């Protein structure tokens, strides 16, 4: 979404210093393999074979901008929170295996962090790489790790469990499948290339070994970068522009709303955030029976460009008091965009960073599709919960969606060089 496309430090691969690992063989970076493949292809088509190569070294075909995008693993915050949304995403939760505790969890997070660092740099996994992404660049890969409520009892760290991680309340719109919610550990993967994203998913699953098992996994997508003539806020599967009023880092209270302060409690969550994850089924057959005008009244914005029904462009401030010739509100009282506004919810705000999903068509011909809703906030009790409670009481969109899975995860701050994510918790 354009509003939430907050760039992290990204470095094109052709400007990066070579790896200083000094390793050879399978440890060669994907960037270098790409260059080698490009050179070899040119040589094989040249007269003289090896002699031609020796006399005139061929240049590697450069990565396109899509493949060359790189996010940094190490930093104040974990990647994948303020990063621009990627074209492909995987959300996966793990449960620790019976008998696995704090020691095994620490070893796992250490392995996962190293694998994420390597893959985000365009390098293969250290052990048993599958070669799925051998000829690809990093493609803006991000990997984000979090802890669920149950993780702390499993590892004997109950005293370190944040109050903000208390289970979410029940909502009237919930029809939750418990098997597809929660979990000890949560991983978010995003990339602008489907194979790069899958490669990371597979590498992390293999890294889990005997320490943890997949509890649930969901796959999502967004519009590919460059698919529109100009940058714009993304659309969801209802065809609506989605994410216009996301908080922006230029706003003075952005960090306060989205991230736990460095002096916050518990100390291991400094510079971290809380992710609410919801699988929201869109009842598309019902939605698509509505006229465009009726759809716009449900949302409170024009479908064509996302502008508020009160007038202007997408980013024009919505006039909640404007009336039509008959004296009715131009933006209906139960319009989704009206209800979710921070100024209608005591200032509650969250950074939405979702993926769409489509998991096939059922026997009745109904698409199993919708939104993998992921939102970030410093405290879900001040972010997601008040907004969802307000929606529960009369959102015009509610008849057209169904909340089918839910999870809440504590996502610690970023790892410093030489450290792994969650180290302050697991070794503190």
């Amino acid at each position: 979404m354009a509003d939430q496309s907050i760039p992290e430090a990204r470095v094109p691969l052709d400007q990066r210093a070579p790896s200083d690992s000094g390793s050879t063989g399978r440890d060669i970076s994907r960037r270098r393999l790409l260059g080698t493949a490009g050179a070899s292809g040119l040589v094989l088509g040249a007269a003289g074979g090896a002699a031609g190569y020796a006399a005139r070294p061929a240049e590697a075909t450069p990565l396109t901008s899509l493949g060359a995008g790189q996010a940094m693993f190490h930093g104040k915050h974990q990647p994948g929170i303020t990063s621009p949304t990627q074209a492909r995403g995987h959300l996966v939760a793990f449960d620790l295996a019976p008998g696995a505790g704090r020691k095994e969890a620490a070893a796992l997070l250490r392995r996962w962090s190293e694998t994420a660092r390597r893959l985000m740099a365009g390098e293969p996994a250290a052990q048993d790489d599958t070669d799925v992404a051998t000829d690809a660049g990093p493609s803006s890969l991000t990997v984000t790790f979090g802890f669920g409520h149950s993780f702390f009892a499993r590892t004997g760290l109950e005293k370190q469990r944040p109050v903000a991680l208390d289970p979410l309340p029940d909502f009237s719109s919930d029809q939750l499948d418990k098997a597809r919610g929660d979990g000890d550990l949560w991983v978010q993967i995003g990339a602008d290339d489907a194979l790069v994203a899958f490669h990371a998913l597979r590498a992390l699953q293999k890294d889990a070994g005997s320490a943890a098992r997949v509890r649930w996994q969901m796959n999502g997508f967004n519009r590919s970068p460059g698919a529109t003539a100009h940058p714009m806020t993304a659309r969801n599967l209802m065809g609506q522009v989605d994410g216009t009023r996301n908080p922006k880092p230029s706003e003075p209270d952005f960090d306060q709303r989205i991230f736990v302060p460095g002096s916050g409690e518990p100390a291991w969550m400094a510079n971290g955030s809380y992710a609410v994850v919801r699988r929201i089924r869109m009842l598309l057959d019902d939605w698509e029976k509505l006229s465009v005008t009726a759809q716009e009244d449900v949302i409170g914005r024009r479908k064509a460009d996302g502008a508020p029904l009160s007038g202007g462009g997408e980013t024009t401030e919505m006039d909640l008091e404007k009336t039509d010739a008959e004296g009715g509100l131009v933006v209906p009282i139960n319009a989704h965009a009206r209800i979710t506004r921070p100024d209608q919810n005591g200032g509650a705000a969250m950074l939405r960073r979702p993926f769409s999903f489509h998991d096939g068509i059922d026997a009745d011909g109904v698409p199993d599709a919708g939104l993998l809703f992921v939102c970030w906030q410093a405290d879900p009790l001040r972010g997601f919960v008040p907004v969802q409670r307000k929606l529960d009481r009369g959102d015009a969109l509610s008849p057209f969606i169904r909340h089918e899975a839910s999870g809440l995860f504590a996502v610690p701050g970023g790892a410093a060089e030489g450290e792994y994510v969650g180290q302050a918790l697991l070794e503190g």
Side-chain angles (χ1 to χ4, degrees):
M1 298 181 185
D3 310 65
Q4 64 188 44
S5 296
I6 307 161
E8 292 181 332
R10 291 187 175 181
V11 184
L13 284 180
D14 57 3
Q15 297 178 17
R16 291 177 56 227
S19 172
D20 58 1
S21 63
S23 55
T24 59
R26 291 183 57 82
D27 205 31
I28 189 170
S29 73
R30 296 207 303 264
R31 173 176 63 88
R32 293 171 60 195
L33 279 171
L34 178 66
T36 303
S40 298
L42 291 172
V43 170
L44 290 174
Y53 179 84
R56 185 168 175 252
E59 294 184 2
T61 302
L63 288 167
T64 67
S65 59
L66 186 69
Q70 183 185 347
M72 299 293 104
F73 176 74
H74 295 294
K76 182 178 181 180
H77 309 298
Q78 286 197 60
I81 302 176
T82 60
S83 312
T85 52
Q86 300 105 320
R88 297 288 178 172
H90 299 294
L91 308 179
V92 55
F94 292 79
D95 284 335
L96 291 172
R102 180 174 177 177
K103 178 181 177 181
E104 290 77 14
L108 174 57
L109 267 296
R110 188 180 296 110
R111 291 194 300 273
W112 272 354
S113 294
E114 175 59 13
T115 294
R117 183 196 66 78
R118 292 177 65 92
L119 299 187
M120 286 176 56
E123 301 172 1
Q127 301 292 330
D128 300 322
D129 191 87
T130 61
D131 297 327
V132 171
T134 292
D135 50 356
S139 297
S140 302
L141 173 69
T142 60
V143 183
T144 318
F145 302 108
F147 304 113
H149 184 276
S150 56
F151 176 82
F152 297 85
R154 299 292 303 275
T155 55
L157 293 166
E158 293 97 329
K159 292 182 179 180
Q160 292 297 319
R161 184 173 59 221
V163 173
L165 201 58
D166 286 350
L168 296 173
D170 294 330
F171 301 104
S172 63
S173 58
D174 287 352
Q175 297 183 37
L176 304 181
D177 177 359
K178 298 297 185 182
R180 292 196 291 184
D182 299 319
D184 295 339
L185 294 156
W186 176 68
V187 183
Q188 175 190 252
I189 297 167
D192 283 333
D193 179 77
L195 286 178
V196 169
F198 175 82
H199 178 243
L201 174 67
R202 183 68 178 130
L204 295 170
Q205 181 195 1
K206 291 173 67 177
D207 275 350
S210 61
R213 292 288 184 270
V214 173
R215 176 181 175 88
W216 55 260
Q217 191 234 319
M218 302 175 190
N219 308 313
F221 58 90
N222 283 305
R223 175 170 282 158
S224 298
T228 55
H230 54 84
M232 62 177 293
T233 308
R235 293 183 185 272
N236 60 35
L237 297 189
M238 288 178 161
Q240 302 294 142
V241 175
D242 191 346
T244 298
R245 288 186 58 84
N246 248 346
K248 301 173 181 62
S250 58
E251 297 169 358
D253 59 351
F254 178 84
D255 280 1
Q256 178 184 343
R257 289 180 171 188
I258 307 306
F259 295 110
V260 177
S263 59
E265 292 292 336
W268 65 267
M269 273 296 290
N271 304 312
S273 189
Y274 291 90
V276 174
V277 181
R278 309 276 281 184
R279 186 185 194 270
I280 303 176
R281 177 88 168 263
M282 292 178 172
L283 309 181
L284 295 178
D285 284 352
D286 295 337
W287 175 256
E288 291 163 4
K289 291 175 183 176
L290 298 180
S291 67
V292 171
T293 299
Q295 291 178 353
E296 291 178 339
D297 283 343
V298 167
I299 301 300
R301 291 181 175 274
R302 292 200 301 258
K303 192 170 185 179
D305 57 7
L309 296 184
S310 54
E314 181 189 348
T315 59
T316 300
E317 188 70 19
M318 183 176 288
D319 184 351
L320 300 180
E321 305 303 323
K322 186 174 182 178
T323 57
D324 57 23
E326 288 74 38
L329 290 169
V330 172
V331 180
I333 195 69
N334 61 347
H336 184 76
R338 173 191 285 268
I339 292 175
T340 57
R341 289 171 56 93
D343 58 9
Q344 301 295 300
N345 294 279
M350 50 195 165
L351 179 65
R352 301 172 71 260
R353 195 176 183 277
F355 292 93
S356 293
F357 74 86
H358 178 222
D359 290 338
I361 298 173
D362 66 21
D364 295 325
V366 177
D368 182 6
L371 197 69
L372 300 181
F373 176 89
V374 182
C375 72
W376 300 90
Q377 58 263 288
D379 184 348
L381 293 178
R382 293 187 290 110
F384 172 78
V385 170
V387 176
Q388 188 59 38
R389 279 179 171 155
K390 187 80 171 288
L391 291 171
D392 240 19
R393 292 196 293 268
D395 177 23
L397 186 60
S398 293
F400 304 98
I401 60 175
R402 187 165 63 224
H403 292 248
E404 297 184 334
S406 179
L408 171 62
F409 302 95
V411 177
E417 294 277 354
E419 296 181 353
Y420 64 88
V421 173
Q423 186 168 335
L425 168 66
L426 292 163
E427 296 185 14

